[in-house]
């Protein structure tokens, strides 16, 4: 595997949950020529392991927050590089992105927003704990992609509520509904009648790009 050492260093730095170590690993991987998307993937795997260790009681809340800050800092460093790699200045679609009501997890959603933006989408990122009506308002205002993120089994049901409202209000055919977040699967995506499931930000961007360019 290319950049195996860098991938391992990024993963280890995330699991060590020390911000300077994470930034150092990102800068080293970047300087070695590792693609920003591959850096993000390696870090995301580390973030998932942080979650597992947190659940097992081997890491605590400040550790999780420190790793989360590391992800955010990495996006600051890598965002401009992703934009440069994306190349296109042409707008290929308008996407509203947000974490659904009741859910404050926004790291993965923000990565998706950045990558979609770099791929040529105009992105309206509403943040986290977004009131359901705000998604609807953005779709009414003309967004043709709607990305909803949920990280908890208690909040993932909000996605279905939003899709159902678009059906009731005759908006469903105007918008590509995208869903993602750790508990979401392709099966769940199909069950609630969404169009796109993205397991990673990379996959999300590729799928959205294909739909936008085929339209
Ligand atoms: C970081 C974290 C936090 C941080 C959030 C910081 C932040 N700004 O986001 C803090 C500490 C604040 C937090 C709080 C809580 N958390 Co928390 N948290 C996590 C943790 C460890 C990591 C999540 C993460 O950032 N992953 C890394 C990112 C990169 O991955 P990702 O989000 O999955 O995103 C990728 C894909 O899913 C996809 N994607 C994401 N969004 C979208 C959207 C679209 C449209 C598409 C297509 C794709 C897509 O692309 C992304 C990039 O590749 C998870 C553990 C886990 N395994 O997920 C628990 C976890 C989600 N939290 C959990 C819980 C319970 C909570 C709390 C209730 C408190 C608690 N008891 O710990 C509160 C929630 C309060 C609330 N109302 O929301 C549980 C949820 C359990 C469940 N089944 O419902 C988890 C699973 C931990 C656990 N095992 O118990 N948490």
């Amino acid at each position: 595997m290319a950049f195996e050492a860098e991938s391992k260093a990024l993963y280890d730095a995330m699991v060590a949950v020390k911000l300077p170590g994470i930034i150092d690993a990102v800068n080293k991987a970047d300087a070695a020529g590792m693609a920003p998307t591959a850096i993000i993937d390696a870090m995301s795997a580390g973030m998932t392991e942080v979650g597992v260790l947190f659940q097992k009681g081997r890491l605590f809340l400040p550790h999780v927050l420190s790793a989360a800050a590391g992800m955010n800092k990495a996006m600051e460093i890598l965002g401009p590089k992703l934009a440069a790699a994306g190349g296109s200045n042409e707008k290929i679609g308008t996407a509203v992105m947000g974490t659904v009501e009741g859910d404050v997890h926004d790291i993965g959603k923000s990565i998706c927003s950045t990558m979609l933006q770099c791929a040529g989408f105009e992105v309206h990122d509403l943040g986290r704990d977004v009131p359901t009506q705000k998604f609807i308002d953005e779709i009414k205002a003309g967004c043709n992609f709607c990305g909803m993120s949920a990280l908890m089994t208690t909040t993932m049901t909000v996605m279905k509520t939003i899709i159902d409202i678009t059906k009731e209000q005759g908006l469903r055919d105007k918008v590509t509904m995208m869903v993602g977040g750790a508990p979401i699967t392709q099966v769940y995506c199909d069950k609630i009648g969404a169009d796109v499931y993205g397991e990673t930000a990379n996959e999300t961007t590729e799928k959205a790009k294909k739909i936008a360019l085929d339209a």
Side-chain angles (χ1 to χ4, degrees), residues 9-29:
L10 286 159
Y11 179 91
D12 290 347
M14 286 301 289
V15 175
V17 299
K18 298 248 177 355
L19 189 55
I22 297 170
I23 295 169
D24 188 47
V26 171
N27 284 329
K28 281 188 176 146

Side-chain angles (χ1 to χ4, degrees), residues 14 22 38-39 46 50 52 58 70 72 81 83-84 91 105 109 120 122-123 133 145 148 150 177 188 197 208 215:
M14 286 301 289
I22 297 170
I39 296 176
V50 168
V52 171
R58 285 171 46 201
N72 287 332
K81 293 170 197 289
K91 183 173 134 182
H105 298 90
K109 180 271 301 160
E122 178 182 321
V123 176
Q133 186 58 40
F145 285 78
M148 301 172 284
M177 300 301 279
Y188 189 70
Y197 162 63

Side-chain angles (χ1 to χ4, degrees), residues 47 55 61 102 104-106 108 149 152-153 179 181 198-201 204:
M47 189 76 218
Q55 203 178 5
L61 190 57
V104 303
H105 298 90
D106 66 352
S149 185
M152 298 192 293
T153 46
V179 292
E199 190 177 353
T200 64
T204 304

Side-chain angles (χ1 to χ4, degrees), residues 18-135:
K18 298 248 177 355
L19 189 55
I22 297 170
I23 295 169
D24 188 47
V26 171
N27 284 329
K28 281 188 176 146
D30 183 37
M34 190 172 178
T37 49
I39 296 176
I40 293 164
D41 281 350
M43 294 183 76
S44 298
M47 189 76 218
T48 302
E49 179 62 12
V50 168
V52 171
L53 295 172
F54 175 61
Q55 203 178 5
K56 287 181 180 164
R58 285 171 46 201
L59 288 177
F60 299 97
L61 190 57
H63 301 129
V64 178
L65 290 175
S66 183
M71 287 295 303
N72 287 332
K73 190 71 201 165
M75 289 314 290
E76 267 176 44
I77 297 169
L78 300 172
K81 293 170 197 289
L82 277 167
S88 163
N89 287 327
E90 206 178 311
K91 183 173 134 182
I92 60 171
T94 306
V96 53
M97 294 289 291
T99 304
V100 298
E101 196 156 9
D103 197 324
V104 303
H105 298 90
D106 66 352
I107 299 169
K109 180 271 301 160
S110 299
I111 295 173
C112 290
S113 291
T114 304
M115 290 186 64
L116 285 168
Q117 208 164 7
C118 295
F121 286 88
E122 178 182 321
V123 176
H124 301 185
D125 190 329
L126 303 180
R128 54 189 171 178
D129 190 12
V130 176
T132 292
Q133 186 58 40
K134 282 205 163 191
F135 284 100

Side-chain angles (χ1 to χ4, degrees), residues 114-191:
T114 304
M115 290 186 64
L116 285 168
Q117 208 164 7
C118 295
F121 286 88
E122 178 182 321
V123 176
H124 301 185
D125 190 329
L126 303 180
R128 54 189 171 178
D129 190 12
V130 176
T132 292
Q133 186 58 40
K134 282 205 163 191
F135 284 100
I136 303 296
D137 291 345
E138 286 284 341
I139 296 167
K140 281 185 180 158
C143 283
N144 56 347
F145 285 78
C146 172
M148 301 172 284
S149 185
L151 267 285
M152 298 192 293
T153 46
T154 47
T155 55
M156 61 197 270
T157 52
V158 176
M159 295 171 163
K160 181 176 184 307
T161 307
I162 294 173
I163 291 173
D164 288 348
I165 295 173
T166 63
K167 286 181 188 161
E168 283 158 26
Q169 301 197 2
L171 301 165
R172 183 65 188 90
D173 293 344
K174 299 184 198 317
V175 62
T176 299
M177 300 301 279
M178 308 189 292
V179 292
I184 312 302
T185 58
Q186 183 65 54
V187 171
Y188 189 70
C189 169
D190 296 341
K191 188 176 157 198

